[in-house]
Amino acid sequence: MGLIITPAQAATTTTTSTEASHAKGGFPPFQTDTFASQLVSFAIAFVLLYWIVSKLALPRVGGIIAARQGAIDGDLAEAQRLKNESDAALKAYETELATARANAQAIGSEIRDKLTKQADLERKQLEDRLAAKLADADKSIATTRAAAMGNVRSIATEAAAAIVHRLSGVTADVQAVKSAIDTTLKA
Amino acid sequence: MASDPTHQFEIHKLFSLGHIGGQEIAFTNSSAYMLAAVGVVSLLMLGGSAGKQLIPSRFQSLAELSYEFIADTVRSNAGEQGMKFFPLVFTLFMFIITANMIGIIPYTFTVTSHLIVTLSLALIVFITMIVYGFYKNGLKFFRLFVPSGIPIYILPLIVFIEVLSFFSRPISHSVRLFANILAGHITLKVFAGLVTMVGAMGFVGWIGAIIPLGLTVALTALEVLVAFLQAYVFAILTCIYLNDAIHPGH
């Protein structure tokens, strides 16, 4: 770049040589007699700036940023903690609800079982009683029937003897008639 | 003649500081602007961080933004290990951008328009890279010149190119900044000079001077971009070079 500039500069130095007399000619960035002064002041300025930046400015700004990050992280952690707490509370509530529901179901089924058992028991008792009554009734029917059947036989024997007597005039043998009646009834 | 485009780069002695080996060491306009840059950066960083507010003020935001911008640049280009060079990169970046920005103000002197200054800046990086590279890696630092996975028959050529590119680093590093700032300021000065030259030609000249005036305004905006960009490029290259010192294997 300097090479491109030099012709223009060379043209202007001729017109401004009186003003630039102290500069000893040449393109200012290439005037070697200014180098030592610039190097010394640059060294001082740079070391000073480096010291200020590294010892004072950056630790302070970094501290501010770190403190803010810490505050944000702390707040986020606090929010997370509160969220976990509410989640735990919700879970506890749900567990409690489930337990209560299960309890209610258990109580309900227990009562249902008890009632069913009681009903079964009562029905059985009733059935037993009814069966006993039925048996009694059967027995009395059988007795009555047997009695009736006995009566039927004696009536039949007498009637048969009378019929035989009337028809043949012979007094029928009672024993024969009885056996004949029994055979007939059995048939 | 104020229209001499190189006049703005001249060094004036303000007062003498003494002699070193027969060479006069003077406090110059350049020295004053260097200290001004130091003052502005210190004011920004120390003044901005004075409040230590959790919710930053605009001033504090500026200081924090500078901090985080360079911290991110260092971290992404040189890794977490590169953060030990964060103060160095920060100092370089802030010094360059402040010197560049001050230089855009009319009638000021631009410290970074002098090759000796930009070369010093580049040499700080170059020497830090070499010293740290050998301190950290010992002789393995030479692996920087030997990329892995290169066939043996072209290796000498590659090593030669790598060595050449290594030693041209401080030159390109410094000349890039110097040339950009120098060229920008000369262009600005030429166009601004055209405004007065054309404007001196009476009424028609006033109309004609509008074009170079507009260009000067546009170029000033461009120079603001260049001032930032060159400081940023310098900082990024610094990070890349230091990364080579930390991890010399390609």
Side-chain angles (χ1 to χ4, degrees), chain A:
Chain A
M1 191 52 66
L3 289 174
I4 300 165
I5 298 314
T6 320
Q9 186 274 331
T12 50
T13 33
T14 52
T15 58
T16 62
S17 56
T18 47
E19 179 166 313
S21 57
H22 66 278
K24 290 177 190 169
F27 187 49
F30 299 135
Q31 285 166 8
T32 49
D33 58 331
T34 66
F35 284 5
S37 299
Q38 288 201 73
L39 279 175
V40 169
S41 29
F42 172 73
I44 292 167
F46 194 83
V47 168
L48 181 65
L49 184 62
Y50 186 83
W51 183 81
I52 290 169
V53 158
S54 63
K55 295 288 172 219
L56 305 175
L58 293 186
R60 207 153 85 177
V61 177
I64 292 169
I65 292 169
R68 179 176 311 123
Q69 195 57 48
I72 289 169
D73 288 349
D75 287 356
L76 281 179
E78 175 70 6
Q80 187 62 44
R81 192 184 64 75
L82 290 175
K83 187 180 176 298
N84 289 345
E85 224 166 67
S86 74
D87 282 353
L90 185 66
K91 194 170 265 180
Y93 160 76
E94 273 170 357
T95 319
E96 200 81 344
L97 193 66
T99 315
R101 203 169 274 157
N103 280 351
Q105 218 139 26
I107 290 168
S109 68
E110 193 185 314
I111 287 171
R112 199 182 312 121
D113 285 355
K114 208 159 88 182
L115 287 179
T116 313
K117 212 176 271 173
Q118 205 175 332
D120 281 352
L121 201 69
E122 275 172 6
R123 198 174 61 218
K124 201 156 188 276
Q125 280 174 351
L126 193 63
E127 276 173 2
D128 285 353
R129 235 177 14 242
L130 287 176
K133 271 188 185 163
L134 204 61
D136 279 354
D138 277 350
K139 212 181 280 173
S140 72
I141 287 168
T143 319
T144 313
R145 195 167 162 194
M149 284 307 269
N151 289 347
V152 165
R153 182 194 278 165
S154 63
I155 289 165
T157 310
E158 276 168 25
I163 291 166
V164 167
H165 181 68
R166 185 71 58 87
L167 285 178
S168 61
V170 179
T171 306
D173 185 16
V174 176
Q175 214 56 43
V177 173
K178 265 188 184 171
S179 64
I181 293 283
D182 283 346
T183 334
T184 316
L185 282 172
K186 258 178 205 145

Side-chain angles (χ1 to χ4, degrees), chain B residues 192-211:
Chain B
L194 271 178
V195 176
T196 54
M197 275 167 64
V198 177
M201 297 192 300
F203 182 71
V204 181
W206 290 1
I207 306 289
I210 290 173
I211 297 164

Side-chain angles (χ1 to χ4, degrees), chain B residues 106-175:
Chain B
Y107 300 109
T108 55
F109 175 82
T110 315
V111 173
T112 42
S113 68
H114 275 255
L115 186 57
I116 188 74
V117 175
T118 62
L119 188 66
S120 304
L121 288 163
L123 282 176
I124 289 170
V125 176
F126 191 65
I127 292 167
T128 306
M129 168 172 73
I130 291 175
V131 169
Y132 185 76
F134 280 115
Y135 165 74
K136 173 94 190 304
N137 307 290
L139 292 178
K140 281 183 189 164
F141 186 54
F142 285 115
R143 276 222 309 258
L144 189 62
F145 304 124
V146 191
S148 53
I150 299 291
I152 193 79
Y153 52 89
I154 60 163
L155 201 57
L157 182 66
I158 295 293
V159 169
F160 174 72
I161 292 169
E162 289 285 340
V163 170
L164 202 67
S165 86
F166 182 81
F167 285 102
S168 56
R169 275 175 181 185
I171 299 164
S172 66
H173 205 188
S174 58
V175 170

